[in-house]
Amino acid sequence: MHREAAAPAAQSGLFGDFRLLVGLFIALRLTLAMVYQPYVLERYDADGALAPVERGLSMFGDYQYFFQFAQLSDEGLLPYRDYWYEFPPVWSTLFIGAYRLLAARGTVDFSAWATMLGLLLVAADVGNLVLLRRLARRLHDDETAQALVWVYALLAAPLIFPWWTFETLVALAILAALAGLVAGRLGRSAGAVTVGSLTKYTPLLVLPAVWRFFPWRRALRMTVISVTLVGLTLALVVAWGGELGVASLTAQYNKASYQTIWALVDGNWRTGIFPSPEAHFDPDIAAAPLGNPAVIPGWLRLIFFGTLGLLIYARTRRRDALGLVAFVAVTFVLFFLWAQGWSPQWTVTLAPLILLVFPTRDGVLTCVLLSVLAFFEYPVLFMRSASTGGEIGGALVLPYAATIVMRTGLLAGLAVALVRRLRGIGDAASV
C-alpha cells in the first residue's frame, strides 16, 4: 500500500525535474548526431559526372547548399560583395565563420562542418526550451510550464529542423524578445529583435505588439533602436556589395509564389528554393520570379490582411502578458497567410507561440498537425518529384493541393482562435 501510494508522487517528481528534461533533450540530439552523422557521398549521375549526395540528419535540408557558399570563401569570395545571398548576414557569418575555423586546420570535411552547425543550433534550441518555460511560468503556472516544455521536447519539428536550416535561431530571437517584453525590459527585447531580424526579417513582426501593449514613448524608443540598427546594418551591406548587396536584400521579395494557396491560384507547383550558388554571381537572376506572376498581387493581399490586422489591433481587449503573446502569435499567422510563399520550418516559429497561448490538448494537436502537414509536403511529396526538378505534377497534384488547403485552413482557424483570446472570449477553452 505504501509503495503504491508513493508511485504517483515519485512520477510527478521525475517529470517535474527540469534539469533532467534538459539533460534528456540534449542527450537525444547528441545521440542522433552520432548515429546519423551528416555526410556527403560522391556518386556518378546519369551523365557520368560526379554528383554529391547528402546523407544523415541533414539529408533533406539546406546544409549542402550552405556548404557550397562556404567553400567559395576558399577563393576569397564573400556574400553580398562577390555574389548575392538571399538572407541577412547573421547566418552567413556563422556558417562561413565555422568553415574558416575548420579550414585553419586543413581541408574542411562536410561532416565536421555540418555537425558543428547542428550542435550550435541544438544549443540555441536549449535556449528556446528555457525561454518557453520562463514565459509559460509567467503566463500560467509552474505545472503548466513544465508540461509545455515536455511537449516541446517531444515535437518533431524542433528536433529535425536544426539539422536542415537555421529557423531555430529565429525562434530563439522571438522568444527572447517576448521574454524581455513580458518582463518590461524593452531594451533587451530590442536587442533580440535586432539580432533576429538580421538572421531573417520576420522578428520585426514583434514590434506591432509593442505599440499595442506599451506607452507610445517606450514603443517608439524600442522601434527606433531596432529599426535603426537593422537599417544601418543592411545599409552597410548595400554600401559594401553595391548591386549584389541590393540583389541580396530584394531576392526574397522577387520570388514567385510557392507552397501556398496563392501558388495554387498562380499555377506554381514548386518549392521556393533558389538556384545553385553558381547563379548567385548574376544579380539579374535574383530579380527573376522563377515562376508564374501573381494573379492576386501582393499589394492587394496586403490591403486585405493589413486591414484585418488593424481591426484586431483596435479591438484587442486583453492587456496582460498572455494577450501580448497572443497578439504576436496572430501577427505571425496573418503574415504567413499573406506571404506568397510558405516554408515548412516556420512551424518552429509557430509551435512555442501556440503552446504559450493554448496550453491545452487542442493546442498540442495543432502543433502536431502543422508538423505532419509540413513534413508530408516536404520531404514526402517533393522528394517524389525529384525527377522533375522539385516540381509537383501528375498524381501528386491532388494530395499536394489538399495539403496546402488544409494547412491554410488550420492557420485561418488558429487566427480566429487567437482573436477570440485577445477579445477575452473563451479564456478557459481550447483552440
Side-chain angles (χ1 to χ4, degrees), residues 240-314:
W240 190 50
E243 186 180 11
L244 288 168
V246 173
S248 299
L249 301 186
T250 58
Q252 291 286 0
Y253 306 101
N254 293 324
K255 286 196 296 188
S257 56
Y258 59 96
Q259 295 176 255
T260 61
I261 199 78
W262 316 114
L264 298 184
V265 173
D266 299 338
N268 292 320
W269 303 87
R270 61 186 298 277
T271 66
I273 191 170
F274 282 97
S276 62
E278 291 79 10
H280 285 61
F281 291 97
D282 184 356
D284 291 335
I285 294 179
L290 303 175
N292 299 322
V295 173
I296 305 173
W299 62 265
L300 185 58
R301 301 197 310 269
L302 183 60
I303 290 175
F304 174 79
F305 285 101
T307 302
L308 195 58
L310 288 174
L311 288 173
I312 294 170
Y313 184 96

Side-chain angles (χ1 to χ4, degrees), residues 13 65 74 90 102 121 141 146 212 245 276 300 309 311 361:
Y65 177 73
D74 289 333
V90 167
L102 292 172
L121 292 174
D141 53 54
Q146 189 67 13
R212 187 64 185 86
S276 62
L300 185 58
L311 288 173
R361 180 180 61 183

Side-chain angles (χ1 to χ4, degrees), residues 131 134 173 175-181 183-195 218 221-222 225-226:
L131 288 171
R134 182 182 302 173
L175 290 177
L178 284 175
L181 293 178
R185 299 182 177 181
L186 272 63
R188 180 180 298 179
S189 183
V193 168
T194 299
V195 175
R218 299 187 70 191
R221 182 173 180 271
M222 177 175 170
I225 291 173
S226 302

Side-chain angles (χ1 to χ4, degrees), residues 96-152:
I96 293 174
Y99 184 91
R100 298 316 313 165
L101 185 64
L102 292 172
R105 302 185 62 182
T107 302
V108 180
D109 175 64
F110 174 83
S111 181
W113 173 85
T115 301
M116 177 184 288
L117 289 179
L119 295 179
L120 171 66
L121 292 174
V122 166
D125 209 24
V126 173
N128 288 334
L129 194 73
V130 172
L131 288 171
L132 178 63
R133 181 171 181 262
R134 182 182 302 173
L135 283 163
R137 293 177 72 181
R138 186 68 178 260
L139 271 57
H140 306 290
D141 53 54
D142 288 349
E143 184 178 356
T144 301
Q146 189 67 13
L148 289 184
V149 291
W150 273 100
V151 169
Y152 183 84

Side-chain angles (χ1 to χ4, degrees), residues 22-85:
V22 172
L24 292 172
F25 188 87
I26 296 172
L28 173 61
R29 285 150 177 79
L30 290 180
T31 304
L32 288 174
M34 289 187 286
V35 176
Y36 300 105
Q37 296 178 47
Y39 65 99
V40 170
L41 293 173
E42 293 288 348
R43 291 187 175 181
Y44 291 97
D45 60 19
D47 298 324
L50 278 174
V53 179
E54 194 171 359
R55 291 290 183 266
L57 278 172
S58 63
M59 177 177 174
F60 293 119
D62 296 332
Y63 272 31
Q64 189 177 347
Y65 177 73
F66 300 141
F67 188 66
Q68 291 174 298
F69 285 112
Q71 287 179 308
L72 294 176
S73 66
D74 289 333
E75 305 171 35
L77 301 177
L78 296 175
Y80 317 117
R81 184 192 67 184
D82 302 307
Y83 57 86
W84 61 269
Y85 179 69

